[in-house]
């Protein structure tokens, strides 16, 4: 006999099913990603309506089935990441995080550490951390779920940890200056981009805090991570394409996106200095 149980979960996606029902994909901490059938969700007085909004975390009561659709009965301790629902930039970044987490693991595969990383990332953006940096950290940490393990912590030839580094697809890792010649087709990536990618491979948003990075370094870091994903992952999510278009729009109309960190110019960087001195 199936019994109801409580579990924590984050709403990943919602899609209409028939006229009044919905299929809700929830990333649960204990059971992985599951698809839940919710009847009559269009009813404005539905008891689960508030708990099934996009960018919502809650403790749910339901039946989790190994085959077919699962079912929900109740919810409590509902947390809405409200900024993602009202800010177009944060909405785009959070949607990408959800989509990337969805793509990284198969349904019903327990991945509590990925769940915790997603939750921490959404909380960090809700609390004002630079969304671009949160996304970069998430991207670097999620690579392993796609079976990718680029070695960035030391030179793959001599194991030196002395920067600057470049990246070699041939060796699937970093090259120190003394061994750039080992791969004539090395990435010629920005040393600053490789530096931050190395850091983000090992940390979480909570550990990084209110780090500030110059705009040109952000752009180089974004390009480097895109290169890693193109080489090792090979997927192109619509939400990522939208973010890329968003950058292009901002450049075209010359309205630069002001991140949470950039909107507070007197906040210290990771070195305790103003942003103008950060890497």
């Amino acid at each position: 006999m199936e019994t109801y149980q409580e579990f924590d979960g984050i709403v990943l996606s919602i899609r209409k099913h028939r006229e009044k029902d919905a299929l809700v994909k929830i990333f649960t901490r204990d059971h992985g990603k599951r698809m839940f059938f919710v009847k009559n969700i269009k009813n404005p007085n539905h008891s689960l309506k508030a708990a099934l909004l996009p960018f919502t975390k809650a403790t749910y009561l339901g039946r989790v089935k190994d085959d077919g659709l699962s079912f929900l009965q109740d919810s409590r301790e509902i947390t809405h990441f409200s900024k993602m629902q009202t800010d177009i930039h944060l909405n785009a970044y959070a949607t990408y995080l959800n989509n990337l987490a969805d793509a990284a693991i198969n349904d019903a595969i327990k991945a509590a550490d990925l769940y915790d990383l997603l939750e921490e990332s959404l909380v960090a953006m809700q609390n004002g951390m630079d969304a671009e940096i949160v996304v970069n950290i998430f991207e670097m940490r999620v690579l392993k779920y796609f079976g990718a393990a680029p070695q960035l912590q030391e030179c793959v030839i001599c194991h030196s940890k002395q920067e600057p580094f470049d990246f070699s697809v041939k060796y699937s890792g970093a090259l120190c200056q003394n061994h750039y010649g080992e791969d004539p087709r090395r990435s010629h990536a920005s040393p600053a981009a490789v530096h931050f990618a190395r850091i983000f491979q090992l940390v979480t948003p909570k550990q990084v805090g209110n780090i500030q990075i110059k705009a040109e370094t952000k752009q180089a870091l974004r390009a480097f991570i895109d290169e890693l994903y193109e080489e090792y992952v090979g997927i192109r999510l619509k939400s990522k394409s939208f973010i890329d278009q968003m950058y292009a729009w901002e450049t075209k109309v010359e309205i630069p996106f002001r991140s949470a960190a950039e909107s507070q110019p007197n906040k210290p960087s990771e070195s305790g200095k103003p942003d103008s001195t950060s890497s």
Side-chain angles (χ1 to χ4, degrees), residues 81-276:
F81 299 108
S82 56
K83 290 184 179 180
M84 288 68 158
Q85 298 167 345
T86 58
D87 185 299
I88 185 172
H89 294 95
L90 294 183
N91 184 289
Y93 289 126
T95 298
Y96 175 50
L97 292 187
N98 280 357
N99 292 167
L100 195 55
D102 193 2
I105 56 172
N106 292 327
D107 290 352
I109 300 298
K110 182 177 178 179
D113 50 350
L114 179 57
Y115 175 92
D116 291 340
L117 178 64
L118 178 60
E119 180 184 2
E120 186 176 328
S121 299
L122 294 173
V123 168
M125 286 198 290
Q126 176 72 17
N127 291 340
M129 184 174 174
D130 190 319
E132 286 185 76
I133 294 175
V134 174
V135 166
N136 292 156
I137 294 171
F138 193 88
E139 289 174 316
M140 292 304 301
R141 294 298 298 265
V142 168
L143 275 173
K144 65 181 182 181
Y145 293 96
F146 292 103
Q151 170 57 267
L152 299 180
Q153 302 308 311
E154 60 182 27
C155 175
V156 293
I157 304 298
C158 68
H159 307 294
S160 170
K161 293 180 171 58
Q162 182 64 47
E163 297 186 79
F165 286 134
D166 197 1
F167 184 75
S168 167
V169 171
K170 175 182 177 181
Y171 291 103
S172 191
L175 294 175
C176 69
Q177 280 183 308
N178 293 333
H179 293 98
Y180 283 174
E182 297 290 335
D183 184 2
R185 296 186 177 181
R186 60 189 173 88
S187 295
H188 296 277
S190 159
V194 180
H195 169 76
F196 282 108
R198 292 178 69 213
I199 294 174
F200 294 167
Q201 198 176 37
L202 301 176
V203 300
T204 66
K206 187 183 298 183
Q207 292 171 318
V208 169
N210 291 322
I211 185 175
Q212 295 181 20
I213 303 177
K214 286 182 178 179
E216 57 266 33
T217 302
K218 283 185 177 182
Q219 184 176 0
L221 178 59
R222 188 162 63 243
F224 178 59
I225 295 177
D226 284 350
E227 179 186 355
L228 294 179
Y229 268 76
E230 182 176 348
E231 179 64 31
Y232 294 105
V233 180
I235 63 171
R236 187 67 178 178
L237 298 173
K238 290 183 179 179
S239 50
K240 178 61 166 67
S241 298
F242 179 80
I243 291 174
D244 292 341
Q245 291 172 0
M246 189 169 64
Y247 290 134
W249 295 334
E250 290 163 352
T251 301
K252 185 175 181 179
V253 299
E254 297 182 346
I255 303 177
F257 168 56
R258 288 169 59 84
S259 68
E262 290 168 340
S263 66
Q264 301 178 57
N266 293 324
K267 264 198 169 183
S269 67
E270 72 275 21
S271 62
K273 298 179 181 179
D275 183 50
S276 60

Side-chain angles (χ1 to χ4, degrees), residues 12-30:
L12 292 181
S13 64
I14 306 169
R15 74 171 187 260
K16 182 180 178 181
H17 182 69
R18 299 195 182 98
E19 189 64 29
K20 298 181 180 180
D21 308 330
L23 295 176
V24 184
K25 181 174 282 189
I26 297 178
F27 187 1
T28 76
R29 193 176 191 278
D30 296 329

Side-chain angles (χ1 to χ4, degrees), residues 20 39-51 53:
K20 298 181 180 180
K39 191 172 181 61
N40 293 325
I41 192 63
K42 293 295 183 181
N43 185 334
N45 297 320
H46 197 288
S47 61
L48 288 168
K49 200 172 189 67
L53 294 172

